[in-house]
Amino acid sequence: MAKKIFMPGCSLPSYNPEAVKKTVAYLKQVFPDMGAVQKCCGKPTAAIGQPELFKERFDMLQADFDKVNAEEVIVACQSCFGMIKKGAEGQKPVSLWSLLPKIGLPEALRSKAKHSDVVFTIHDSCSTRYEKELQDGIRWILNELGYKTAEPEYTRENTRCCGFGGMVVPANPDVATRVIKRRVEEFETEHVVVYCAACRASMMGVGTKSWHILDLLWGPVVMKNDDAPDNVLASPVKAWMNRYKSKANLIKCMNI
């Protein structure tokens, strides 16, 4: 049974199932026995103060981990990273962003964007503000791809929230909008790269052109005049359809 499993989280599969598929396919080349789990870590229920419901949901996730004898959980979501690190019994979370520098990128992707005329501002996720190896990994990936980057005033351990954290969007959308507008006003370039699909949705919601780092990894090279991908997370129906597609792709990649 699998000792390593990949867990893409909720937001990323809802946004880009094709990127999830390509990521899993590549990881399977490196770790042929790797398994996968697509399930919520329960962070939203914890954020709104429902500890019993959170425990119920995390216990379901823990049961899936135990079922496949998982020891390491490769995660693409920073919230999942934190929740597993804090609450899992016997499983170690490994960020995809710190793993990729260790295993390398596919040769065909290296320096593919060296002729891009875009300078991407890097937005760090606030939920992993103290995970330096993870943050270094993001910058390594962008450098390997050949993209030019810029740092905002508040970056890494001093990064600011995108406005999505703590379930603020449904609880107080006006506050969420003020938070994200304050954040994007710091950016000195017109293009932003994130490694959280929820962060990207927040920025797209106020008209900021932003890309998830997996868009850059697996998608076409971005040039200044290119439009950012659609804000799929703004449509619950499309988001759920994408999540089903992602899970079907995971099952297919696992050959089960």
Side-chain angles (χ1 to χ4, degrees):
M1 301 291 280
K3 298 297 183 181
K4 295 180 186 291
I5 63 171
F6 176 66
M7 180 176 171
C10 296
S11 296
L12 179 59
S14 300
Y15 163 57
N16 193 337
E18 187 64 20
V20 173
K21 177 183 177 181
K22 291 180 177 179
T23 301
V24 171
Y26 178 58
L27 291 176
K28 284 285 283 183
Q29 293 178 24
V30 182
F31 308 113
D33 295 328
M34 184 190 77
V37 168
Q38 182 170 305
K39 186 168 285 187
C40 180
C41 70
K43 175 70 179 291
T45 53
I48 61 175
Q50 294 186 338
E52 292 183 0
L53 184 56
F54 164 71
K55 184 178 185 306
E56 177 184 330
R57 293 192 173 173
F58 195 87
D59 285 349
M60 292 170 62
L61 178 61
Q62 183 69 59
D64 282 353
F65 289 165
D66 295 340
K67 184 178 179 180
V68 296
N69 294 325
E71 294 179 357
E72 289 188 351
V73 184
I74 302 169
V75 294
C77 169
Q78 286 59 252
S79 292
C80 292
F81 181 90
M83 301 309 286
I84 294 169
K85 184 177 183 179
K86 180 180 179 181
E89 299 174 0
Q91 286 78 33
K92 172 187 175 183
V94 176
S95 173
L96 176 65
W97 320 124
S98 57
L99 176 64
L100 287 175
K102 297 175 182 177
I103 65 176
L105 300 184
E107 186 64 31
L109 302 185
R110 296 180 63 189
S111 300
K112 75 171 191 176
K114 62 183 179 181
H115 298 303
S116 172
D117 56 357
V118 172
V119 178
F120 277 105
T121 294
I122 301 171
H123 168 72
D124 289 303
S125 300
C126 63
S127 56
T128 47
R129 65 171 70 247
Y130 300 116
E131 299 291 339
K132 183 177 183 300
E133 184 181 23
L134 184 160
Q135 296 162 354
D136 288 345
I138 292 295
R139 288 149 178 85
W140 178 89
I141 294 167
L142 291 165
N143 184 66
E144 285 290 288
L145 293 175
Y147 281 109
K148 296 176 282 294
T149 60
E151 301 279 354
E153 179 180 358
Y154 295 95
T155 189
R156 291 184 178 261
E157 70 273 14
N158 296 315
T159 190
R160 283 178 163 172
C161 180
C162 73
F164 207 93
M167 301 301 289
V168 177
V169 173
N172 195 327
D174 290 339
V175 169
T177 299
R178 290 202 300 271
V179 170
I180 185 54
K181 283 185 175 179
R182 180 188 69 171
R183 178 56 168 161
V184 301
E185 286 172 358
E186 303 167 11
F187 300 157
E188 297 181 2
T189 73
E190 296 179 353
H191 298 73
V192 182
V193 61
V194 303
Y195 42 103
C196 168
C199 288
R200 181 183 177 274
S202 288
M203 293 181 187
M204 292 292 290
V206 295
T208 302
K209 295 174 71 172
S210 91
W211 282 256
H212 191 282
I213 193 166
L214 291 184
D215 294 326
L216 306 186
L217 187 65
W218 302 118
V221 173
V222 178
M223 304 299 287
K224 275 187 177 180
N225 292 329
D226 292 338
D227 292 327
D230 291 340
N231 188 10
V232 177
L233 297 189
S235 169
V237 173
K238 289 182 179 179
W240 274 105
M241 288 178 63
N242 279 346
R243 199 176 296 186
Y244 282 120
K245 289 178 183 177
S246 177
K247 189 163 187 176
N249 286 337
L250 287 181
I251 293 172
K252 186 175 181 179
C253 287
M254 295 303 116
N255 294 316
I256 57 174

